[in-house]
Amino acid sequence: MGVNEGVAFWNALKAKVKSLIKQETSNCFKVARYDVTSAPDGTTIGVTLPEGNKEIQIPYSQEVSTAVIGDTVLVGWYGSLSTARAIWFGKGFEGQPLE
């Protein structure tokens, strides 16, 4: 089988593989990095994806209660973002490797 045949084979399977991945990971705990766009107000915090511009308001854990606009938070959720909660924060990405 040549490269062109391999690419054609993958293209034929790609939609099915993506569907199976989505199905099998739908109940997994997911975590993503978000930027704080509205400070915690006692109930929710406003966040956006680093490359996004649509703010979402979500609950947060006590560890995030002192976050300010521009901080980075980790948001965790099960299934859909309707279950999301800000669970940890830092001072944004400073280009430094973790030690």
Side-chain angles (χ1 to χ4, degrees):
M1 177 185 299
V3 171
N4 291 338
E5 291 86 4
V7 170
F9 179 74
W10 169 245
N11 287 337
L13 288 177
K14 188 170 23 177
K16 180 66 175 170
V17 170
K18 285 176 74 174
S19 174
L20 286 171
I21 290 170
K22 186 174 182 178
Q23 173 187 322
E24 293 299 317
T25 61
S26 65
N27 291 325
C28 291
F29 182 70
K30 299 173 181 112
V31 176
R33 176 191 175 274
Y34 280 74
D35 295 327
V36 177
T37 50
S38 297
D41 65 6
T43 307
T44 62
I45 187 172
V47 296
T48 64
L49 286 168
E51 67 279 358
N53 57 9
K54 182 179 179 187
E55 181 182 73
I56 59 172
Q57 292 285 325
I58 59 172
Y60 58 90
S61 66
Q62 181 63 33
E63 291 80 9
V64 179
S65 64
T66 60
V68 296
I69 294 172
D71 281 344
T72 298
V73 294
L74 291 182
V75 174
W77 70 94
Y78 290 99
S80 72
L81 276 175
S82 66
T83 65
R85 175 178 291 268
I87 55 176
W88 181 84
F89 87 98
K91 295 296 180 187
F93 178 71
E94 297 175 2
Q96 301 298 318
L98 297 175
E99 302 206 17

